[in-house]
Amino acid sequence: MNITKKYGKFKALSNISLEIKDKEYFIVLGPTGAGKTSLLKVIAGLVSPDEGEILFDGMRINEKQPGERNLGFMFENYALFPHMNIVDNISYSSRVHARNPESTQKIVQQFLMMTLLMGRDDALPKELSGGMKQRVALSRALMNLEQTKLLILDEPLKALDAGLRNSLRRELLNMAKSSILDLTVIHVTNDQREAMMVADRIALINQGKVVQVGTPHEIYYHPRNLFVAYFMSEINYFEGKCVKNSKRKGELHKISTKSDKFLKQIQEDSLLLPIDIGIDKIFTVYTDHQKFETIDDGDNILLVVRANHFKIREGNRLKDKKNAFIGLIKRRKFMGVFYRFEVLVKINNKEKRLIISIPATTEIHQKFQEGSNVTVYFPEELGIIFKHPGKDEINRIMSLV
Amino acid sequence: MPEIKLENITKHFDEGRVVAVDNISLEIKDKDYVFLLGPSGCGKTTTLRMIAGLENPTQGKVSINKKNMEGIPPEDRDMGFIFQHFEIFDHLTVWENVTFGLEVRGYEDDYIIEQATKALKLVDLYKYLDKYPSMFGNPGLQKLGIARAIATGAKILIMDEPLGSLDPKVSRVFRHQLRNLVKDLGLTAIHVTHNQSEAMAIADKIILMRAGKILQIGTPYEMYENPNSIFVANFLGEMNFLQGFVLKTLEEEKIEIWLRLGGPRLNCNNPENKFKLDDNIVVAFRCEDVYLFPKNYNFEDSKYDWSKMQFFKAKLNASRFIGETKRFYLELDNQDKFESIKSGTFEEDFNIGEELTIAIHQDDIRVFRMPEDLFNELSLT
């Protein structure tokens, strides 16, 4: 609660409050330098906060030493014992706690299997690659779990190749969710895909502050601001004006289409907001009541549409599609699961490049080539509206320097 | 018109005790964006360094534009270099970092100014030209690295993990900008990485290496759709692998296979009748090619042609919403597991633990012979 941590004049954490629930897989997500690791260190007791309280089951634990906090943790630099082989490193805590050597041995072998390190029992840390060391450190953290209820992981999968990262993510989640262990996990990462893959809830952190806390669905479909929207996937943004007093007044809509449960909920609880982004047609986007009330006629707004929420059709289909642009495919790239298109459209007579990703099918492969004329459009429930944050803020978020 | 050719290239280190690159041959066409991809230690960086002239091959020939490169130093090979750790001079301004190399080469001032201005504008750093690089984060530093490389006017870009020091989010944005830049300038690019999704997203062509050898060369589409081995299939994207054996050989180059331990039976293509009765095999299919239906879905009513679909039952163990995609974790009666990936807005109403009907198109199922060491083939290293 209200945690602040300063290093000299630099505020690593600025009045952060978070509540992590029992047995939750909680992800702390953010760019490099956001304050993620500082937060973990405060929770683990490796550094003390300058202000604020840390409560564990309602009890203040600020004064407790790390060893008294019943935590398992794995930090980014692994901290393996250099003179011990893999097996001894992993089973260290079991020996300290004098557990049955036979069952320990069995569990260690299971970890070696899971992390693709079997047969390397006698290797010393210096003989291992970065990724291998990381896997040993992860196994060691997970060996400890019988004593702990809270596991803290700092970028546990960072040094691994993509495929192995995928399979270990799944194992981590399985382990955390298995009823025998009943674990609460706090896992820090800078990779939004990793966060979405495993989190029950995500706290997105930037510049020492919590920007938003929510389930993957909430963060993805209801981002609090442009930074959150941008961080979670490739987006397109459009500057425009709210035109509530246009002929297409906002009204409550009941939608009967079968759809994703969460999207259905967006439709049911929302009002249609008409907006003008500088092309002939007025666009309409579902907005929740609260936001609808705070945006007045004539207000400058920002419309955000995720790249994968656009759909694509051949030729000019402006007549029968809402929220549609016509344009030309400038670039097309096959990426595996998706095709990524860059489509040139005209807004206010200026050229704009839209980024659109479409699941890869044979049809898409054949029909949509570079140079094709297309219509691209997005469903009303998938547009995201913000009050215009100002040009400087947009540039700050989107620029890569 | 740079065309790069490697013929029977081998590289030994440590007096022959380490074979880093083992008799490889390849060609890189003009204006192609080519990736050398593979796990660490596969020989990709050594290959890049031999193309660049930073290492000499133990055997074999590197030629650029049909000219043998033996004895020609890196600076005379028409190449710009981009590094993982940027190699930017902190004590020089943005402008000086870009012009330094041009001045060393003794170009005229007018030319230097023109080239540096153009390069800095292309990466959107011109407004910072009198600033010091310490004001930049990693993305800015790498943009400066790119500006410095393209300012030389070189026709070939040599890149060793150029996005390796960027945050995942940043690198996913940056990768498309890098490809667009290379394409707009009409450069030939050779890019080393271990990151398959980066290679898939940028490459015109991928050269996949393992243990000093080339496993396969092709466009991302070819490699993804027609991998020539289990290792390639697994390395280039998420693939399900299930084990079984050939139950029957059928007409028209087809086979019926039976997945192990009483799993489902599937009809698969068997080009050139490669597989025979009782052969042990591994079937592979992409997660996104797995279609999900309720258990009792009526396929008769539908307008689609289901004749080439293979149907079987599986239990839904879990599902995850991951933004762009939804992911479904499934299990067969024989306890073998596989996954399905659908679009993030995929309409579904499935319950965990429910039995589903699974459909996969026959052409989306690839059959591989069971390797001696399946575990090694799936190891990604």
Side-chain angles (χ1 to χ4, degrees), chain B residues 326-370:
Chain B
K326 270 185 193 167
R327 195 175 273 263
F328 297 87
Y329 300 93
L330 299 142
E331 184 175 338
L332 296 171
D333 279 347
N334 68 8
Q335 299 194 325
D336 279 348
K337 295 181 175 65
F338 65 101
E339 290 174 26
S340 168
I341 293 178
K342 299 282 117 197
S343 143
T345 49
F346 174 66
E347 301 169 1
E348 49 98 11
D349 214 359
F350 304 137
N351 297 313
I352 302 307
E354 187 177 337
E355 192 178 54
L356 302 180
T357 297
I358 309 299
I360 307 178
H361 195 282
Q362 200 174 297
D363 296 345
D364 290 332
I365 305 174
R366 299 142 188 98
V367 185
F368 294 102
R369 197 170 297 284
M370 172 70 80

Side-chain angles (χ1 to χ4, degrees), chain A residues 174-192:
Chain A
N174 285 342
M175 214 166 330
K177 291 292 171 196
S178 80
S179 50
I180 320 160
L181 291 172
D182 278 346
L183 263 186
T184 306
V185 181
I186 306 175
H187 170 150
V188 158
T189 181
N190 63 6
D191 184 342
Q192 91 276 10

Side-chain angles (χ1 to χ4, degrees), chain B residues 2 124 199:
Chain B
D124 211 13

Side-chain angles (χ1 to χ4, degrees), chain B residues 252-379:
Chain B
E252 295 174 348
E253 304 194 330
K254 302 219 182 307
I255 41 173
E256 182 177 1
I257 54 151
W258 197 356
L259 297 184
R260 68 174 177 185
L261 305 171
R265 298 177 187 191
L266 307 170
N267 286 350
C268 304
N269 298 325
N270 185 22
E272 296 161 21
N273 292 315
K274 203 165 73 176
F275 297 102
K276 307 279 182 251
L277 199 64
D278 290 337
D279 279 353
N280 284 319
I281 50 91
V282 175
V283 297
F285 46 93
R286 296 266 172 228
C287 300
E288 63 270 26
D289 291 335
V290 178
Y291 296 89
L292 308 177
F293 298 95
K295 187 181 171 188
N296 297 317
Y297 187 80
N298 185 356
F299 291 92
E300 317 256 300
D301 286 355
S302 159
K303 58 184 174 172
Y304 297 104
D305 174 16
W306 300 101
S307 60
K308 285 184 115 184
M309 286 305 225
Q310 301 297 303
F311 296 99
F312 53 94
K313 299 274 191 277
K315 190 176 81 172
L316 180 64
N317 278 342
S319 70
R320 289 289 304 175
F321 168 76
I322 315 178
E324 283 97 334
T325 57
K326 270 185 193 167
R327 195 175 273 263
F328 297 87
Y329 300 93
L330 299 142
E331 184 175 338
L332 296 171
D333 279 347
N334 68 8
Q335 299 194 325
D336 279 348
K337 295 181 175 65
F338 65 101
E339 290 174 26
S340 168
I341 293 178
K342 299 282 117 197
S343 143
T345 49
F346 174 66
E347 301 169 1
E348 49 98 11
D349 214 359
F350 304 137
N351 297 313
I352 302 307
E354 187 177 337
E355 192 178 54
L356 302 180
T357 297
I358 309 299
I360 307 178
H361 195 282
Q362 200 174 297
D363 296 345
D364 290 332
I365 305 174
R366 299 142 188 98
V367 185
F368 294 102
R369 197 170 297 284
M370 172 70 80
E372 269 177 39
D373 185 353
L374 180 61
F375 192 78
N376 175 44
E377 283 294 295
L378 294 174
S379 76

Side-chain angles (χ1 to χ4, degrees), chain A residues 168-179:
Chain A
L168 281 183
R169 259 180 210 151
R170 207 174 316 137
E171 295 290 352
L172 263 184
L173 188 65
N174 285 342
M175 214 166 330
K177 291 292 171 196
S178 80
S179 50

Side-chain angles (χ1 to χ4, degrees), chain A residues 30-32 113 116 118 135 161-164 166 170 173 190-193 195-200 216-217 220-221 230-234 258-261 263 308-309 331-340 342 353 359 365 382 400-401, chain B residues 39-40 125 128 136-137 139-140 143 167-170 172-174 176-177 179-180 183-184 194 196 200-203 220-221 224-225 235 238 288 320-327 329 339 341 343-350 375 379-380:
Chain A
T32 301
M113 181 92 87
L116 306 185
M118 66 260 237
R135 284 177 264 159
D161 283 0
L164 190 55
N166 265 328
R170 207 174 316 137
L173 188 65
N190 63 6
D191 184 342
Q192 91 276 10
R193 296 213 182 157
M196 297 288 275
M197 288 279 272
V198 294
D200 290 325
H217 262 109
Y220 198 77
Y221 285 123
Y230 170 72
F231 200 81
M232 301 313 288
S233 81
E234 267 201 288
K258 189 179 169 235
S259 183
D260 179 273
K261 291 167 209 159
L263 294 180
N308 60 307
H309 287 159
R331 294 194 196 283
R332 170 181 102 153
K333 186 72 184 76
F334 175 74
M335 314 231 299
V337 179
F338 289 99
Y339 269 102
R340 181 180 184 276
E342 296 185 11
R353 193 177 287 229
H365 182 67
L382 295 177
L400 292 176
V401 288
Chain B
S40 43
L125 289 184
Y128 303 109
F136 294 147
K143 279 185 171 177
D167 269 16
K169 168 67 195 176
V170 174
R172 280 182 200 125
V173 176
F174 208 112
H176 302 298
Q177 297 183 358
R179 177 178 160 86
N180 283 350
K183 290 287 149 192
D184 289 343
H194 68 280
Q196 63 82 18
M200 290 292 290
I202 309 179
Y221 191 79
Y224 194 79
E225 296 297 330
F235 200 87
E238 289 180 74
E288 63 270 26
R320 289 289 304 175
F321 168 76
I322 315 178
E324 283 97 334
T325 57
K326 270 185 193 167
R327 195 175 273 263
Y329 300 93
E339 290 174 26
I341 293 178
S343 143
T345 49
F346 174 66
E347 301 169 1
E348 49 98 11
D349 214 359
F350 304 137
F375 192 78
S379 76
L380 298 163

Side-chain angles (χ1 to χ4, degrees), chain B residues 112-149:
Chain B
I112 293 175
I113 291 168
E114 186 193 318
Q115 285 294 98
T117 305
K118 193 175 91 183
L120 282 170
K121 281 186 174 164
L122 276 170
V123 298
D124 211 13
L125 289 184
Y126 187 69
K127 55 186 173 241
Y128 303 109
L129 59 88
D130 56 348
K131 301 283 195 299
Y132 285 88
S134 56
M135 71 170 292
F136 294 147
N138 286 353
L141 291 173
Q142 193 56 301
K143 279 185 171 177
L144 182 52
I146 292 170
R148 183 183 55 193

